Amino acid sequence: MFARIVSIIFPIFAIVALGYLYGRYKRPDMRFANQLNMDVFVPALVFSAMASKSFDLHAYGMLAVGAVVIVLGSGLLAYPVARWLRIDPKVFVPPMMFTNSGNMGLPLAVLAFGEQALPAAVMLFMAENTLHYALGTWALDKQAKVTRLWREPVIFAAIVGLLFSVLQMEVWPPLLYAIKMTGDISIPLLLFSLGVRLTQSDFSDIRLGVIGGVVCAVSGLLLAWPLTYLLPLSPEHKAMLIVFGSLPPAVLNYVFSEKYQVEPHRVASLVMVGNLMSLVFIPLALFLVLKQ
């Protein structure tokens, strides 16, 4: 069991570590690469997964419901903790809600459950990511225009992919393969970029980061566990929902906090320490689901 867990998480953290080391010594400007990833590669991954013959919207609907409950429930559980810590909820609550379902969630699902798990992982990612762009931006800035959400390339790709799936339209196989190849670039680049981004974070508030790392994972797992009994999910989807609940705060939280000037240095600590603590919680989640 130990060897299997190590074989699952090692490639993920090895690429993150490579990005971190490269970022420390070369100080690369990843803005263009990140923009290219979010504008082209990730949308290609999302579309190819949702428009493929293996994608059945009805099969993943309950999984999306579970993801939404975990995201919203984590926010409800984190809010009193923020009040207890006397921290602005805008700083503490979003990182507890919105997790690394892209950077870590997608490769983790493939390594743990196989390539066939990618569509389900994409559904979890889309549920969390859509809430992050909609509810997350509104929570930081009440003037943010949520109505423009569909203009985000990832969201647009998901909408088009869902239309192809619902209408049972088949994409010309060579074209779908080309789109899939383009999308395959996204996962290693997401991990490498995460490593580089962590070099720009700091440990200025380690105590807050440790508390956040525990609250994020524990709240997610506490919500995911009963949902596996309440929702009609397959054994594989139950396992994926538990792993989803253990994921650390998303780097996008830091990007948003910087954009809306919501104490980005504290959010950076929450993100960095939380991702380091995932070395404990992700193996724990994998142990819980793989021993069954």
Side-chain angles (χ1 to χ4, degrees):
M1 177 67 71
F2 175 77
R4 186 177 177 188
I5 292 174
V6 170
S7 69
I8 291 170
I9 66 171
F10 178 80
I12 294 172
F13 287 99
I15 298 175
V16 173
L18 177 63
Y20 182 82
L21 291 173
Y22 187 83
R24 291 282 293 180
Y25 288 101
K26 293 293 186 178
R27 307 285 182 183
D29 186 348
M30 294 292 291
R31 284 178 296 180
F32 176 71
N34 290 333
Q35 182 179 348
L36 194 61
N37 210 13
M38 295 308 296
D39 287 351
V40 180
F41 303 141
V42 175
L45 176 74
V46 169
F47 176 81
S48 63
M50 290 188 165
S52 66
K53 293 180 180 179
S54 62
F55 186 83
D56 180 5
L57 181 60
H58 297 291
Y60 304 115
M62 285 297 102
L63 193 60
V65 170
V68 170
V69 172
I70 290 173
V71 170
L72 299 180
S74 296
L76 292 175
L77 293 175
Y79 187 82
V81 177
R83 289 299 188 189
W84 173 65
L85 293 171
R86 297 180 180 179
I87 296 173
D88 185 350
K90 290 183 179 181
V91 174
F92 188 78
V93 176
M96 301 303 100
M97 296 174 64
F98 307 115
T99 56
N100 253 339
S101 59
N103 297 65
M104 283 194 180
L106 294 175
L108 191 58
V110 173
L111 288 168
F113 307 108
E115 193 71 32
Q116 71 276 4
L118 183 59
V122 166
M123 179 59 81
L124 289 169
F125 166 65
M126 286 310 306
E128 181 272 328
N129 202 53
T130 303
L131 283 174
H132 201 167
Y133 274 101
L135 183 59
T137 54
W138 180 83
L140 297 180
D141 182 7
K142 298 299 188 291
Q143 305 301 318
K145 296 182 179 179
V146 180
T147 53
R148 296 182 178 179
L149 181 64
W150 68 272
R151 296 185 181 182
E152 293 293 333
V154 175
I155 306 299
F156 183 76
I159 294 172
V160 176
L162 282 174
L163 284 175
F164 270 79
S165 176
V166 171
L167 298 176
Q168 296 184 338
M169 298 168 59
E170 185 176 349
V171 183
W172 185 42
L175 175 59
L176 184 62
Y177 186 69
I179 296 173
K180 183 182 180 301
M181 286 181 64
T182 303
D184 287 344
I185 300 172
S186 64
I187 291 179
L189 184 54
L190 281 168
L191 292 171
F192 187 86
S193 178
L194 172 61
V196 175
R197 173 68 73 172
L198 290 178
T199 65
Q200 301 167 15
S201 304
D202 58 57
F203 292 96
S204 60
D205 202 329
I206 296 180
R207 175 176 172 271
L208 177 62
V210 170
I211 293 173
V214 172
V215 171
C216 183
V218 171
S219 63
L221 288 170
L222 286 176
L223 290 162
W225 193 263
L227 286 173
T228 60
Y229 294 96
L230 296 173
L231 297 176
L233 299 170
S234 68
E236 183 182 79
H237 288 181
K238 289 180 179 181
M240 292 182 69
L241 196 62
I242 290 174
V243 173
F244 175 81
S246 72
L247 295 173
V251 177
L252 195 58
N253 289 293
Y254 171 68
V255 175
F256 281 178
S257 69
E258 203 171 35
K259 179 178 179 179
Y260 296 108
Q261 286 303 297
V262 183
E263 300 188 58
H265 65 286
R266 304 194 85 177
V267 176
S269 295
L270 283 167
V271 170
M272 184 171 190
V273 179
N275 276 271
L276 289 176
M277 292 182 68
S278 68
L279 283 166
V280 174
F281 289 107
I282 287 178
L284 173 61
L286 289 172
F287 174 77
L288 292 173
V289 301
L290 294 178
K291 73 174 184 177
Q292 299 176 3

